[in-house]
Amino acid sequence: MKLDMLVTEGIGASHADPVLDDAGLRGAIAADKTAVVSIAGDGIGPEIMAAARRVIDAAYPFIDWQEHDAGAEVFAGGIASGVPADTIDAIAEAGLALKAPLETPVGHGGKSANVTLRKLFELYGNIRPARTLPGVPSRYADPGVDLVIVRENVEDLYAGIEHMQTPDVAQCLKLVTRQGSEKIARLAFAQARAEGRGQVHCATKANILKLTEGLFKSTFEEVAAAHPDIQARHILVDNCAHQLVLAPEAFDVIVTTNMNGDILSDLAAGLVGGLGFAASANIGDRVAMFEAVHGTAPDIAGQGVANPTALILSGAMLLRHIGAAAAADAVEQALYDVLEEGRYVTADIAGRHPPASTADFAAAITDRLDPVPDAAWSSPAGGPVWTGPAPAVRRDPRREFDGLDVFVEWHGPVDELASRLKAASTATRFELAMISNRGTMVYPDNRGIADTVDHWRCRFVYRGVESTDLQSAICHLLARVSRVCSWMHVERLQRFDGRPAYTLAQGQA
Amino acid sequence: MKLDMLVTEGIGASHADPVLDDAGLRGAIAADKTAVVSIAGDGIGPEIMAAARRVIDAAYPFIDWQEHDAGAEVFAGGIASGVPADTIDAIAEAGLALKAPLETPVGHGGKSANVTLRKLFELYGNIRPARTLPGVPSRYADPGVDLVIVRENVEDLYAGIEHMQTPDVAQCLKLVTRQGSEKIARLAFAQARAEGRGQVHCATKANILKLTEGLFKSTFEEVAAAHPDIQARHILVDNCAHQLVLAPEAFDVIVTTNMNGDILSDLAAGLVGGLGFAASANIGDRVAMFEAVHGTAPDIAGQGVANPTALILSGAMLLRHIGAAAAADAVEQALYDVLEEGRYVTADIAGRHPPASTADFAAAITDRLDPVPDAAWSSPAGGPVWTGPAPAVRRDPRREFDGLDVFVEWHGPVDELASRLKAASTATRFELAMISNRGTMVYPDNRGIADTVDHWRCRFVYRGVESTDLQSAICHLLARVSRVCSWMHVERLQRFDGRPAYTLAQGQA
């Protein structure tokens, strides 16, 4: 049984490892091992984590793995976040983690331990490479895919701020900030530079969402100006999805907002074999967490047959992140060699060969590792991706107050609402200028086609003078409005440096 | 010159058309021709419209085309919407339109005439088939793609309600309504039934956006219960993108919200050759508009070389919509035959044959039309897709008032903000319960990791009794808050039938 021999005898014994032979160098560096929290996770997690660590340790024996828990058993133990305090502390201390998939059990409040970790450490950048792998079936093997999606990971719709406006109308806030956009744009260019890539696409819907996606786009363009050596391009996100399917080879790095990036990154994984092969990094200012994108695969857990490719590739990202670029290259190359040969791969891609176990697959990779040159462990080649916080520049434009958008519940015809609101606001410092329903103006110009819902945005223009007690004027209006109908949401209409900081309704001149 | 002969002599003369031979039947139906507004559009529009109408008329000579303008020349003439009143009136009267691509010129306010038409007539349903076409290069030719995306077309982020919250924080409202969700779900099942499809997938992000995408999902499930003959399934939208790339043959009909549908439908078009081949229907309660998805292709305009496939397929959707299913089938079959043979196709797909002109391509299709059985023009087979308005059911749950989310601008540390707000609200009927920044709780439990921006959501819990003058209590709080910092956005925290109508912050128990 050749494979068994590989497993029991091969590792660390039969194949030459120049480092293990160089006791002096090894001792010198080992004293300064890099601490990395290892979270074995649920389902197939422990098996693929063992495989990944075996491969990583063989290429770079200077990681001090610190094993900690998260996931199903932690939930079962009554910790609602799925992440115990000692795990959190360990990650905060080490600043690095390699994580296998975690289960989000039903009936524990539905919070995902994955999301908890991302939020807790402000892991604002989700890096998702999509690269054609030899031996993994894909319609895109020729000419092959080699791109990276850099997804903003903290804000956008994922801020999760939702309010039912009426019993029938739900609202979620899509928040895009200059600070968040700048950080992710800087990360995208840093990633491009570290990987020697010449182009970054920014994918947005700025043609429709001019303030939110528009802020992301304009901030990207500002950051791009500081990277003249890298070509910066904007692409509409719908067209980006279209082009990714037609000609993914045209892309290098794609940076995008959270929700759109969620879709694009899973699309891109599909181009190269699916989520089962997708590695990822979650980058923060102080912590970086590397993880396989796929799930816990409970149906095959404990059988030793799971494919550890995604976690091994995540481990290679970790190595590159800490500056061990040559070791990362060696891991990837050995993995590619084994995948390409196809003789010692797991059942999911075994093809005509008998399937190998998870451990045998890992052993085959380890056996294939090229001797790593001494410089590997301190090489900055490829460079760590770590941009640090963006400089805080407080903008303080001249501000003016244009009025209020008051969102109300109303079940009658719009004309009646308008006439009542006009009457109610007569004595106030505001004048009803417009009513829209789901964004389409229905007053004063009502074409009568809109299929309205019971949620109306009533725009009141301010007619007072600057010196007025604004707060009293607003309260006066709200009190008068509430005699007509119930309001549930108020937005101040601001003007910054003379420019309106709000959009017009569809149909409004 | 065989093609020239086809064009000059072939149409309506050389090939048998049983209808044209049946003068009596023709006269009877012609008196009752169906009026359809034809908008030739910009760029290649006039050429592909001529081609499409030639094919449609040959299969179904009972359309009364009414030619109207929209687009570039209209913008240039000073009409900001790009759509003149007589075009609007004609569409409203006919209820049907076939539209070639329109240009959205720069410098006319940036409004899209396409969007104007969709909003004006509440075309809530965007139907985008993606079907493998013979002779059109695609990585997905085997086993082939045949699915339909049904995209909600009116609400969601496309309501376009945006406000700058601070100079550095932009907000867009994602609005999802029960009414809008119900209409699009009904349309999806009607579409499935009309096309004899057995399955509808609802693609959402309901696991994260529990109120908005959750409302879309739960409404879909209610509508699905009324269609037990069609299998209804939910799929997460990111996984949907992933599966569409891996195994699109698994899908029949996919219904989804506006922004996600924008991405998925362009993705799906990429699976079958790209937007150049993508047909669409925009369905409203009273108007249906059919259009090619692609642009005006100004680089080849006027040369007679554009591929009219997308507009011809849109015309077939129009025919099916008005009940002329057999004629629609005949058009599609003739188109497929010509594409498959590849001898008379336009330059973009001509391969080894000399390219045909737009007109010659259309002539070849017309020449290939099978004699359509007499019943074609009144056949309900396939059925029109027209669900009509959903029944309005007003829900009126018991309401309680839980408090307010007040969004403020603040540039200092959160602890200082919290202590000042606590002091300021002491005399009010509210108590500061939580502060979050970009959705993550930073008070009372501040882990100190969050990279905060200057936009804070301050949640105040109401401690008053039901009988209090709520309006005064709210104004009192807002006045006190405004002494600490500037607020720009207020959300009422409502409870419907005892259930909170708002989400908790990440990290909040």
Side-chain angles (χ1 to χ4, degrees), chain B residues 456-477:
Chain B
W456 309 80
R457 186 254 304 259
C458 308
R459 176 159 289 179
F460 290 94
V461 175
Y462 183 59
R463 298 298 186 203
V465 292
E466 286 289 327
S467 58
T468 314
D469 177 357
L470 204 54
Q471 202 60 37
S472 300
I474 291 172
C475 280
H476 187 205
L477 176 69

Side-chain angles (χ1 to χ4, degrees), chain B residues 188-236:
Chain B
F189 282 99
Q191 186 74 25
R193 185 164 286 165
E195 297 191 12
R197 294 175 183 269
Q199 181 178 255
V200 177
H201 277 91
C202 174
T204 79
K205 198 66 191 174
N207 58 331
I208 302 287
L209 308 181
K210 295 180 196 296
L211 298 189
T212 48
E213 294 278 313
L215 178 60
F216 193 84
K217 175 172 182 278
S218 64
T219 306
F220 167 80
E221 287 161 352
E222 286 169 24
V223 172
H227 298 80
D229 54 320
I230 297 172
Q231 193 174 45
R233 294 189 172 187
H234 178 260
I235 185 168
L236 291 177

Side-chain angles (χ1 to χ4, degrees), chain A residues 152-163:
Chain A
E152 202 288 323
N153 215 18
V154 172
E155 51 188 51
D156 191 13
L157 293 164
Y158 286 70
I161 305 175
E162 296 188 286
H163 297 87

Side-chain angles (χ1 to χ4, degrees), chain A residues 168-206:
Chain A
D168 288 344
V169 177
Q171 171 189 284
C172 182
L173 303 185
K174 175 183 172 77
L175 293 177
V176 175
T177 76
R178 196 182 306 271
Q179 191 168 328
S181 303
E182 186 168 331
K183 284 176 79 164
I184 199 70
R186 285 159 53 93
L187 183 61
F189 282 99
Q191 185 74 25
R193 186 163 287 164
E195 298 192 11
R197 295 176 181 269
Q199 181 180 254
V200 178
H201 277 90
C202 174
T204 79
K205 197 65 190 177

